[in-house]
């Protein structure tokens, strides 16, 4: 009796967990917020600081910055070294492997940054969706922006000062009366069943804002962009680590609760780098590739049977020759780039091969220069701060393509 | 002239009763599965780093509200020299709960309890590598505030300087990669009486005491708060509220029946009442009181209630098997002291778990940051008690299995003489043995599952297991289902093992056909015993 009962209970649980949460986001709202933010991210990389006005926007920009930093770290020894301009939203980006990485990294960076801010309590409008609905985030087609997140994000973006102040103050009485109802519902849900983890909210923010930046044309370019955005979100989700704590009778494991810990972004970035190395080219015209054009007049893109796994990065066209200078895109070539002749353990493959790849294969010669560099050494550390360092002067040999 | 109800109930009535109980069981599962949310939920809270300008250990640092401190990135300090003092001035601030959807949340008393676990994000640095195991010293201070209080009116709840060990490993030694560190259980609150809580943590560095010297490059600290879900509490309490009067009612009914008999109550009847009492204790919905009073002892009380229930249930099974042993030494049975050997296994097991619980949750009443697992002596002590309990459980199970094997052996021995009896008597005995066996097997199955679950649960206890991501989902449905199962089981026992009041027609071998339809299995007129016909059957056989 017990056994059958347990099975029954499990079936029931599965049923309850997969009940979809209805969503009714309005496309008009999403469009305005998106354009607002897209203009801001432009300005962010052209040096203006107007984006810092909104809490959420700040975190979106922080996510993009995080992606940029780690992208440059990942591609330090490659011909393409992830220039800042790659993150600019200006101009049309060719759908090559590098753009795929940039899109995915930005997406992952936003998820990461928003998740972190939510956990710190800095972003008061973090959502409180039921656990279970978040699992749909990796599934592409079912991924419609959900109502509450969109609204709150919209609130922050449009009338942020009041929203931030309201959330920042801790006394509960100063809310306007219109808000009382929705507040009651949110709090009720929190008390009754708890809220989802912050990653789910980070994912929905990233999905909403970055996907809406993609011009919703029915073309392959839009398809690959959306796919890479999703791959970025999945990279964060896949890198989460599960931890559990037992707290049943006498602290036994008859009851245990688990949660997901967010790793450092370096881990996510190197996971994405691996995906970049194994990116899938979609053969668009031939029709026998991963993607075929629909035969309907609307020219809808359809996914054919061997669908690309969602975590893979996809691209449409081959990358240009990064050895060469390209004046239209502003690419300066590899001349003048430093390369590394470091060998030994802990030196990555691309670093070992950097002088060959960057210089010799591009027809440049490897030049050497020595420099005197002073740096901190023999420091004693504390957990937050390094203290009492000596200054060592070292002679460093540097190589560059000349 | 009566037996128990289970023997005298017609097959039809019995099946109706069993069907009803099964439906109740299914309903219990469905309530857990459909209505109740998961039992508890966990939230990651990222610590804000505040800097104590002086050495204000009395001051509260908080991150939201008037007079809050500013978060400063730890990375800013890294390159500054002579920052020796800085490490001692950084305060990690966790203000819970954190707001959601622009709503400032506060804890509801329905959420019952709060567990805090720390998680350290430590980045790899080639010059500051961490050992696989580091002892860290945490200076923790927990405060609370209620709605309507000023933003800075934090009142102290508990504070302590605690040592914990931190196990950190790293798979690829690249800078900015985090170590994979074990989680650090910090505190357990048995009551969630206040609205807001604030945790201030310092990691003091002292080179004379070698305090926190081995800690690597700390990037951030997460506090994971685990609280029971209000919805689960509500469903759970409702379940208890429903079961409570039912069990009390059936106990009163049972006891009335026993007292209507001419003889004094038998041991088995005392045990049944004891079992019912233990279940009533477990069913008492004390959670209602926590809505009005601060009751931090609820976790401990829950453990004790559960323990008493287990003790009662295990003792009952022993006595039940023993009373049907059919070894005739007349008055020796019917006394608890016959079972002292067997019951001492239960006693030792429960007592050692009780002592363990008092050492862990008992002391946590005084200091919520306390854990018996952090010191070597404490760990050994705790393990001793848990292993002792495990051994007792094993011994108990052996005893029980042996007794039940004995009973079944006796039954089959008696069965061989059945063909020599008259048709009515044979039918009677076969029926009784069948029903007894059926109930015995069901009980044995439940006993095995309880004990196995109990041992598994206790063995899995402990810090070294907490990190494992077990895929087993102990969900609400499982909890309500099992809880309902024991209630229904005991309800059925009280119901079916109550003395029957049916007046039998005076029966003899010659006119046994006059037995009414309602009475499927009648008793022998020659037997004066009132306990159960099986026991008397055994006695009869022994006399033969």
């Amino acid at each position: 009796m017990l056994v059958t009962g347990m099975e029954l209970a499990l079936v029931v649980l599965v049923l309850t967990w997969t009940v979809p949460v209805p969503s009714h986001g309005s496309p008009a709202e999403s469009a305005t917020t998106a354009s607002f933010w897209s203009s801001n991210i432009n300005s962010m990389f052209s040096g203006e600081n107007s984006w810092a006005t909104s809490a959420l926007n700040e975190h979106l920009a922080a996510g993009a910055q995080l992606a940029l930093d780690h992208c440059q770290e990942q591609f330090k020894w490659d011909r393409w070294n992830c220039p800042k301009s790659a993150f600019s939203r200006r101009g049309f980006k060719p759908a090559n492997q590098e753009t795929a990485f940039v899109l995915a990294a930005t997406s992952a960076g936003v998820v990461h940054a928003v998740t972190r801010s939510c956990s710190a309590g800095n972003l008061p409008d973090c959502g409180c969706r039921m656990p279970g609905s978040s699992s749909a985030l990796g599934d592409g087609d079912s991924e419609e922006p959900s109502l509450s997140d969109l609204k709150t994000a919209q609130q922050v973006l449009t009338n942020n000062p009041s929203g931030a102040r309201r959330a920042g103050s801790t006394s509960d009485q100063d809310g306007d009366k219109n808000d009382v109802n929705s507040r009651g519902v949110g709090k009720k849900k929190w008390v009754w069943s708890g809220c989802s983890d912050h990653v789910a909210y980070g994912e929905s923010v990233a999905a909403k804002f970055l996907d809406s930046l993609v011009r919703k044309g029915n073309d392959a370019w839009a398809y690959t962009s959306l796919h890479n955005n999703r791959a970025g979100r999945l990279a964060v989700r896949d890198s989460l680590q599960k931890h559990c704590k037992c707290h049943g009778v006498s602290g036994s494991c008859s009851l245990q609760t688990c949660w997901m810990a967010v790793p450092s972004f370096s881990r996510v970035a190197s996971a994405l780098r691996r995906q970049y190395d194994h990116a899938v080219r979609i053969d668009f015209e031939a029709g026998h590739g991963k993607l075929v054009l629909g035969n309907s007049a609307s020219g809808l893109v359809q996914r054919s049977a061997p669908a690309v796994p969602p975590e893979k990065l996809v691209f449409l066209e081959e990358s240009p020759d990064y050895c060469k200078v390209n004046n239209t895109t502003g690419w300066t070539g590899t001349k003048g780039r430093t390369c590394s002749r470091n060998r030994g353990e802990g030196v990555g493959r691309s670093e070992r091969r950097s002088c060959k790849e960057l210089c010799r294969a591009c027809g440049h010669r490897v030049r050497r220069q020595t420099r005197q560099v002073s740096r901190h050494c023999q420091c004693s550390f504390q957990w937050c701060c390094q203290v009492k360092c000596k200054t060592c002067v070292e002679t460093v040999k540097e190589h560059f393509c000349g | 002239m009566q037996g128990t109800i289970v023997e005298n109930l017609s097959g039809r009535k019995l099946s109706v009763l069993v069907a009803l109980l099964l439906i109740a069981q299914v309903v219990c599962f469905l309530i857990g599965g459909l209505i109740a949310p998961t039992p508890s939920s966990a939230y990651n809270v990222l610590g804000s780093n505040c800097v104590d300008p002086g050495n204000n250990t009395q001051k509260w640092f908080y991150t939201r509200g008037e007079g809050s401190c500013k978060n400063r990135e730890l990375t800013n300090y890294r390159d500054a020299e002579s920052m020796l003092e800085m490490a001692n001035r950084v305060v990690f601030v966790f203000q819970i709960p954190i707001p959601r959807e622009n709503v400032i949340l506060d804890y509801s008393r329905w959420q019952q309890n709060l567990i805090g676990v720390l998680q350290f994000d430590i980045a790899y640095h080639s010059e500051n590598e961490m050992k696989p195991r580091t002892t860290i010293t945490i200076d923790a201070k927990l405060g609370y505030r209620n709605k309507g209080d000023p933003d800075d009116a934090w009142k102290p709840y508990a504070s302590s300087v605690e040592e914990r060990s931190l196990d950190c490993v790293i798979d690829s030694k690249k800078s900015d990669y985090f170590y994979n560190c074990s989680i650090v259980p910090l505190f357990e609150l048995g009551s969630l009486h206040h609205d807001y809580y604030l945790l201030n943590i310092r990691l003091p560095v002292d080179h004379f005491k070698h305090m926190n010297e081995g800690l690597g490059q700390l990037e951030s600290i997460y506090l994971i708060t685990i609280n029971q879900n209000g919805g689960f509490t509500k469903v759970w309490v409702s379940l208890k509220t429903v079961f409570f009067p039912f069990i009390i009612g059936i106990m009163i009914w049972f006891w009335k029946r026993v007292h209507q008999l001419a003889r004094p109550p038998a041991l088995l009847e005392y045990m049944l009442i004891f079992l019912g009492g233990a279940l009533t204790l477990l069913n008492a919905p004390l959670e209602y009181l926590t809505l009005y009073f601060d009751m931090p002892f609820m976790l401990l009380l829950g453990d004790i209630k559960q323990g008493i229930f287990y003790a009662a249930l295990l003792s009952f099974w022993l006595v039940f098997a023993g009373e049907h042993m059919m070894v005739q030494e007349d008055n020796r049975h019917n006394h608890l002291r016959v079972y002292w050997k067997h019951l001492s296994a239960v006693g030792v097991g429960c007592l050692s778990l009780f002592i363990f619980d008092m050492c862990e949750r008992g002391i946590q009443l005084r200091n919520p940051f306390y854990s018996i697992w952090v010191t070597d002596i404490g760990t050994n002590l705790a393990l001793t008690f848990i292993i002792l309990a495990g051994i007792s459980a094993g011994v108990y199970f052996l005893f029980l299995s042996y007794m039940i094997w004995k009973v079944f052996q006796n039954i089959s021995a008696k069965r061989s003489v059945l063909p020599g009896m008259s048709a009515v008597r044979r039918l009677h005995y076969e029926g009784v043995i069948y029903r007894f066996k059926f109930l015995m097997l069901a009980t044995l199955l439940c006993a095995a599952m309880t004990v196995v679950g109990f041992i598994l649960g206790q063995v899995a206890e402990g810090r070294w297991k907490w990190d494992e991501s077990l895929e087993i989902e102990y969900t609400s449905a499982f909890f309500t289902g099992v809880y309902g199962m024991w209630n229904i089981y005991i309800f059925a026992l009280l119901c079916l093992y109550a003395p029957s009041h049916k007046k039998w027609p005076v029966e003899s071998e010659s006119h046994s056909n006059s037995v009414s339809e309602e009475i499927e299995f009648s008793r022998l007129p020659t037997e004066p015993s009132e306990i159960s016909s099986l026991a008397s059957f055994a006695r009869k056989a022994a006399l033969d």
Side-chain angles (χ1 to χ4, degrees), chain B residues 92-362:
Chain B
F92 294 91
V93 179
F94 305 89
Q95 193 175 342
I96 49 176
I98 48 178
R100 297 267 192 158
E101 295 183 349
N102 284 320
V103 179
I104 293 140
L105 297 172
D106 58 275
Y107 281 117
S108 153
R109 286 176 189 174
W110 284 106
Q111 286 166 324
Q112 293 288 305
N113 47 47
L114 187 71
I115 295 166
V117 177
L118 290 182
Q119 196 175 302
F120 292 84
D121 280 352
I122 298 170
Y124 176 79
H125 194 292
S126 55
E127 283 190 80
N128 194 15
E129 276 191 46
M130 272 187 88
K131 291 196 193 97
R133 169 162 286 191
T134 319
T135 303
I136 53 168
T137 308
I138 302 169
D139 182 357
K141 213 162 65 141
L142 188 68
Y144 69 90
R145 194 167 69 82
N146 284 311
K147 264 192 214 170
D149 289 355
D151 284 354
D152 60 346
W154 293 97
K155 295 174 243 340
Y157 189 89
S159 65
S160 179
V161 178
E162 291 288 325
E163 280 194 355
R164 296 282 195 272
S165 61
L166 191 64
D167 300 317
C168 293
V169 287
I170 191 161
D171 41 8
S172 54
K173 292 187 172 180
K174 289 184 192 165
S175 53
D176 283 350
Y177 269 47
F178 289 167
Y179 284 93
N180 198 354
C181 288
S182 58
I183 57 171
V184 179
L186 188 67
F187 64 84
E188 277 194 53
L189 301 184
S191 70
L192 203 50
H193 193 69
H194 305 288
D195 290 332
Y196 311 105
Y197 288 84
L198 176 69
L199 179 69
N200 280 0
I201 282 182
R202 291 162 194 256
L203 299 170
V205 177
D206 190 327
H207 291 293
F208 294 107
K209 294 179 192 159
H210 298 291
M211 197 187 271
N212 286 334
E213 274 186 332
L215 204 56
Q217 186 178 301
L218 188 65
E219 296 280 323
S220 49
I221 304 182
Y222 277 93
L223 172 74
I224 290 94
T225 61
I226 300 170
N227 60 266
Q228 192 162 317
N229 279 332
F232 182 77
T233 314
K234 282 175 188 169
V235 169
W236 193 248
V237 171
S238 323
L239 215 59
K240 281 178 156 190
T241 317
V242 170
F243 282 133
F244 188 61
F246 268 98
I247 298 294
I248 285 189
I250 200 83
M251 273 170 73
I252 292 169
W253 174 83
F254 178 84
W255 205 233
K256 265 189 183 163
R257 285 210 150 206
V258 169
H259 274 277
Q260 280 166 5
L261 300 174
R263 59 165 175 81
L267 177 61
L268 208 55
E269 283 150 1
Y270 277 121
M271 288 309 292
L272 272 171
I273 277 295
F274 175 48
L275 188 57
L279 185 64
T280 307
L281 200 64
L282 200 61
N283 279 342
L286 290 179
E287 281 85 349
Y288 288 123
L289 294 178
T290 61
L291 301 180
Y292 305 100
F293 308 104
D294 190 9
M295 295 163 77
F297 51 83
M298 277 302 280
L299 279 179
L300 182 66
L301 190 68
D303 288 351
I304 291 174
K305 287 200 295 187
Q306 197 98 21
I308 292 173
F309 174 71
Y310 279 131
L313 196 63
L314 298 179
S315 313
F316 168 78
W317 284 329
L318 272 179
V319 173
F320 182 79
E323 290 295 290
H324 292 84
M325 195 64 100
M326 295 181 276
V327 187
Q328 272 330 273
E329 283 158 65
D330 277 285
N331 282 332
R332 263 204 58 198
H333 279 248
N334 221 356
H335 281 287
L336 209 54
R337 67 179 108 78
V338 181
Y339 300 102
W340 72 269
K341 264 186 290 184
H342 314 74
L343 288 181
S344 57
V346 179
V348 169
C350 289
L351 199 68
S352 50
L353 281 182
F354 174 70
I355 294 170
F356 163 71
D357 218 68
M358 286 305 286
C359 289
E360 173 86 356
R361 287 192 165 158

